[in-house]
Amino acid sequence: MPNSLTNQEADSNRSASLPFSLTILGAGSATPTLRLHQTAQLLTIGSDYVLIDCGEGTQLRLIEQRIRPGRLRYIFISHLHGDHYFGLAPLLSSLNLGGRTEDLFLFGPRGLDEVLTTIFRVSDSRLGYRLHFQPVDPNTPTILLDHPQMTVQSIPLQHRIDCTGYLFRQKPHKPHLLRDRLPDDVPVAYLKQLKDGQDILGGDGEILYASTDYTVPASDPRSYAYCSDTRYVEELVPQLHGVNLLYHEATFMDDNAQRAAEVYHSTAKQAAAIAAKAEVGRLLIGHFSSRYKQFDLFLEEARTIFPETYLAIEGETTAI
């Protein structure tokens, strides 16, 4: 079986060509190495870019992947350990230097606004765009964003400090219109009605065009759950149940399970156990400790419990 989602998904190209996709920018943990960068992911949904965590050097990773940072609209930060947000202030500053004027929406733990305010104050930096900050309750699942294409809900995690994961769900799609079946002179208003699932009726109530005859059902909406730093928490299972793709940290292997518990992290086996209990479609593991030089053993360990496990490979994009 392939180790990465990209190898499994033959049609996975760059995020710009996928309507709902994930690009791994960093899959390492607290200490960066020459092989792994600190945590950051880019979620593409429609024409919007969503950044999830922003470890040191994230803006360089975006440039390396030929992703335009100016297209970012939403940023979600899980917690205030440096490997998950030390790249944020430089990114925000670079967006300003690049002439950004569009509003940017930032979600994260209380205190993040104080950190950024202090950095910009002592450096006498002023942003030329509005940065909207919304603090996230670390204890209660909450709908944070109701976007035309998706909703975002917080996932309470258990780490050494307040830490939050995020659940991204596409909204149901409208049916696809089969325009080649319709006469060329059909009014545009009829097309919208058909896509909305409404039949077109004549003056005496007869059906002129049935929606089911001229549309095909859209694909099912997809979902992605991001579980950043956390110990093994079975209480997550109901909220994660049935998601298409779950990212769950796997900092350690089972031989360091005691160490994982002490520092509120998870092992590959524990991540797989959560995926199995939640009956998710696929599991992506990352946040690997720098003590490990090879990661295939993480995969082998997790797949003994949940076969549809894959490694988070930096630079790879996969359709969700």
Side-chain angles (χ1 to χ4, degrees):
M1 297 178 70
N3 291 352
S4 72
L5 285 170
T6 296
N7 289 335
Q8 183 201 32
E9 301 277 349
D11 61 346
S12 293
N13 300 308
R14 292 219 173 268
S15 58
S17 65
L18 297 171
F20 193 30
S21 62
L22 182 73
T23 300
I24 302 299
L25 301 173
S29 56
T31 305
T33 69
L34 292 176
R35 294 185 58 196
L36 294 178
H37 299 79
Q38 294 181 336
T39 301
Q41 299 182 2
L42 185 83
L43 187 69
T44 300
I45 181 161
S47 60
D48 288 330
Y49 279 168
V50 178
L51 184 65
I52 311 171
D53 275 341
C54 189
E56 183 179 343
T58 293
Q59 62 177 323
L60 295 177
R61 301 294 292 141
L62 290 168
I63 293 170
E64 288 171 358
Q65 296 304 311
R66 299 180 182 178
I67 295 167
R68 291 165 48 199
R71 284 184 56 188
L72 286 171
R73 191 173 182 191
Y74 304 100
I75 300 176
F76 292 85
I77 302 298
S78 63
H79 64 297
L80 292 182
H81 280 158
D83 55 319
H84 292 260
Y85 85 103
F86 275 177
L88 181 59
L91 173 62
L92 297 177
S93 179
S94 293
L95 291 174
N96 183 60
L97 293 173
R100 183 187 182 101
T101 58
E102 181 185 4
D103 290 8
L104 184 63
F105 300 86
L106 173 64
F107 302 80
R110 294 186 185 278
L112 178 59
D113 53 338
E114 297 177 35
V115 173
L116 294 175
T117 298
T118 300
I119 290 173
F120 293 139
R121 176 177 57 80
V122 299
S123 64
D124 192 26
S125 300
R126 295 172 177 83
L127 300 181
Y129 57 91
R130 292 189 64 186
L131 180 62
H132 303 267
F133 174 68
Q134 179 175 329
V136 177
D137 182 347
N139 301 311
T140 306
T142 305
I143 295 294
L144 303 172
L145 181 64
D146 190 354
H147 179 276
Q149 297 186 69
M150 67 175 174
T151 60
V152 184
Q153 185 180 47
S154 61
I155 304 173
L157 303 175
Q158 294 185 19
H159 193 40
R160 290 192 296 114
I161 61 174
D162 288 344
C163 188
T164 304
Y166 298 101
L167 174 58
F168 302 84
R169 289 190 182 276
Q170 280 184 317
K171 290 186 175 179
H173 309 294
K174 291 184 177 181
H176 296 294
L177 187 65
L178 302 173
R179 297 194 61 156
D180 56 336
R181 293 189 182 181
L182 290 162
D184 294 337
D185 58 352
V186 170
V188 173
Y190 285 8
L191 303 182
K192 183 179 184 306
Q193 286 180 251
L194 291 170
K195 284 201 68 171
D196 288 341
Q198 302 174 24
D199 296 333
I200 307 300
L201 305 179
D204 57 358
E206 81 279 9
I207 297 177
L208 299 179
Y209 303 103
S211 174
T212 54
D213 291 340
Y214 297 98
T215 61
V216 293
S219 57
D220 292 335
R222 312 292 289 176
S223 54
Y224 172 59
Y226 172 79
C227 290
S228 176
D229 297 15
T230 184
R231 69 179 183 88
Y232 177 75
V233 184
E234 281 197 12
E235 289 79 4
L236 295 177
V237 169
Q239 191 178 7
L240 301 177
H241 188 265
V243 299
N244 297 106
L245 178 63
L246 166 65
Y247 171 87
H248 194 292
E249 73 121 288
T251 308
F252 298 99
M253 291 182 59
D254 200 50
D255 60 344
N256 276 292
Q258 182 175 348
R259 175 61 178 164
E262 291 171 353
V263 294
Y264 281 73
H265 280 295
S266 298
T267 68
K269 271 190 176 180
Q270 290 172 337
I274 292 293
K277 292 177 185 293
E279 299 180 306
V280 307
R282 294 170 294 170
L283 170 65
L284 193 61
I285 55 174
H287 199 266
F288 306 115
S289 170
S290 59
R291 72 178 62 198
Y292 299 99
K293 306 307 177 186
Q294 302 293 328
F295 308 111
D296 284 350
L297 293 179
F298 279 81
L299 199 62
E300 293 177 14
E301 184 172 286
R303 283 182 172 175
T304 62
I305 297 174
F306 190 75
E308 286 297 313
T309 301
Y310 301 87
L311 298 177
I313 304 295
E314 294 186 5
E316 290 196 347
T317 296
T318 184
I320 294 173

